[in-house]
Amino acid sequence: MDPYKNPNPKGYQRQRPFGSAGEGGSSGGSDMPHDIDDNKKKKKLLHRDIERQRRQEMATLYASLRSHLPLQYIKGKRAVADHVNAAVGFIKDTETRIKELSARRDELSREQTCQRSDPDLARTGFELGKSDPASLIVQPCVNGFEVAVSSNSSGPDALPLSRVLEALQELGLEVINSLTTRVNERLMHTIQVEVNTFGCLDLAWLQQKLVEDLILSPGY
């Protein structure tokens, strides 16, 4: 064969093999960048949805936390961090109050045991107890607040549980639990009231109101 002779006399160009490198129209791996971009977009959308759901759940939990905190703990505080710190303070104060009440209960129980064993001491305690006026305190608890009332168990100074419950109902409050015990000839009423939000309830005002209606009123 003559090396100078044109091997392709008709002018046809030799076609490259199918799928060879450099041919943009070939199908060998040309869709991979597009698939990678789609996967990245899907991951971003999924991550965005998860983050949105997480924020919504956190907002719901923070709102629930605020609804359980007394007004005096969150008044003037809007930041979430302040509400969390207020919740910590409220829990610590409640634990302290529970310890104080438990110690007081144990002390009264010991006094009652001693008085049973010593009639003279019991009679003295009874006379001192009758001279003590009634007392009332309102304090926050987990689901709302608690009203603790102490009064003589008999006579004109006695403050029955029914009267306390009636006063709370007149104020539109919902009582969820009540307990009455007799210690040293005195009545100890403990009433739990459920409150959905403390935003419109001032416990200091409520305590003063109950004291005026139940203890300082002429009918007491």
Side-chain angles (χ1 to χ4, degrees):
M1 177 182 293
D2 188 356
Y4 297 102
K5 187 176 181 180
N6 185 4
N8 189 8
K10 295 184 179 181
Y12 295 142
Q13 295 181 356
R14 182 178 297 177
Q15 295 182 355
R16 295 182 180 180
F18 181 78
S20 60
E23 291 292 332
S26 62
S27 61
S30 61
D31 292 337
M32 291 181 62
H34 181 69
D35 294 339
I36 293 175
D37 292 340
D38 289 344
N39 291 333
K40 289 182 178 180
K41 291 180 180 180
K42 291 180 180 179
K43 289 181 179 180
K44 288 182 179 180
L45 291 176
L46 180 60
H47 177 74
R48 187 181 304 168
D49 293 339
I50 294 175
E51 181 65 18
R52 183 186 299 111
Q53 183 178 2
R54 184 190 69 83
R55 292 181 179 179
Q56 291 176 351
E57 292 176 353
M58 293 300 295
T60 302
L61 292 174
Y62 284 134
S64 177
L65 177 64
R66 287 193 302 271
S67 66
H68 287 83
L69 293 177
L71 177 62
Q72 59 266 30
Y73 285 87
I74 60 176
K75 188 175 182 179
K77 300 177 181 178
R78 297 184 178 181
V80 173
D82 293 337
H83 293 165
V84 174
N85 292 331
V88 174
F90 171 60
I91 293 174
K92 291 182 178 179
D93 292 344
T94 303
E95 291 176 347
T96 301
R97 183 58 180 168
I98 291 174
K99 291 180 181 179
E100 293 175 352
L101 292 175
S102 298
R104 177 59 178 166
R105 179 197 59 193
D106 296 340
E107 181 182 356
L108 293 175
S109 179
R110 288 192 298 269
E111 291 178 358
Q112 186 176 13
T113 302
C114 294
Q115 290 174 3
R116 287 176 179 176
S117 60
D118 190 344
D120 294 334
L121 182 61
R123 183 166 49 256
T124 302
F126 171 74
E127 293 175 353
L128 292 176
K130 290 189 64 177
S131 62
D132 292 338
S135 61
L136 184 148
I137 185 173
V138 178
Q139 56 193 4
C141 61
V142 177
N143 295 328
F145 63 89
E146 181 180 86
V147 180
V149 183
S150 173
S151 72
N152 292 327
S153 60
S154 60
D157 294 337
L159 187 59
L161 177 63
S162 59
R163 187 177 175 188
V164 181
L165 296 178
E166 182 180 357
L168 293 173
Q169 292 176 355
E170 289 178 355
L171 295 174
L173 300 173
E174 182 179 358
V175 176
I176 59 176
N177 189 21
S178 62
L179 177 65
T180 299
T181 58
R182 186 188 298 268
V183 180
N184 297 337
E185 300 300 328
R186 290 184 65 83
L187 293 177
M188 309 288 291
H189 305 310
T190 304
I191 304 102
Q192 291 184 353
V193 180
E194 184 178 19
V195 177
N196 295 326
T197 176
F198 286 89
C200 57
L201 183 61
D202 187 348
L203 296 185
W205 172 87
L206 177 62
Q207 177 174 314
Q208 182 64 27
K209 174 68 174 175
L210 293 175
V211 169
E212 293 175 355
D213 293 345
L214 298 175
I215 299 177
L216 301 181
S217 62
Y220 172 65

